[in-house]
Amino acid sequence: GFMVELRWWPMEKTDAPPTDPDQIGHKAELSSKARFQVSAGMTNLGKTFYCYVRWRHKTNPAILSPWTNRQQIIIA
């Protein structure tokens, strides 16, 4: 009964990366299949994609896993 929660930011290389999953400006996604296809759009081409991920229970929002370490990749 778990889903995956993803919080992500597209950022310029000169911007400071997010240091906390609750930092403002994030976009949020939920998936019960633990699979995501994020459309970042052409305006974000070449920016860095930062994200944090965790498990979240479907019916009990109090049951959460800890967030992963910050992940990053270049949007291409």
Side-chain angles (χ1 to χ4, degrees), residues 3 5 7 14 19 26 42 46 51 71:
M3 298 184 295
E5 181 178 7
R7 290 190 180 171
T14 57
T19 56
H26 71 269
M42 290 302 291
C51 72
Q71 306 295 310

Side-chain angles (χ1 to χ4, degrees), residues 20-71:
D20 185 309
D22 294 321
Q23 188 169 320
I24 61 169
H26 71 269
K27 299 177 189 316
E29 309 276 341
L30 287 172
S31 174
S32 60
K33 297 179 182 180
R35 182 176 176 211
F36 293 95
Q37 181 174 349
V38 176
S39 288
M42 290 302 291
T43 58
N44 292 315
L45 189 64
K47 292 183 180 179
T48 303
F49 175 93
Y50 294 100
C51 72
Y52 293 92
V53 182
R54 72 176 171 188
W55 291 105
R56 175 182 212 118
H57 196 268
K58 286 183 179 181
T59 58
N60 186 350
I63 302 175
L64 304 170
S65 74
W67 288 103
T68 62
N69 292 331
R70 184 184 68 217
Q71 306 295 310

Side-chain angles (χ1 to χ4, degrees), residues 11-16 46-48 50 74:
M11 302 182 93
E12 296 287 349
K13 294 176 185 177
T14 57
D15 294 338
K47 292 183 180 179
T48 303
Y50 294 100
I74 301 298

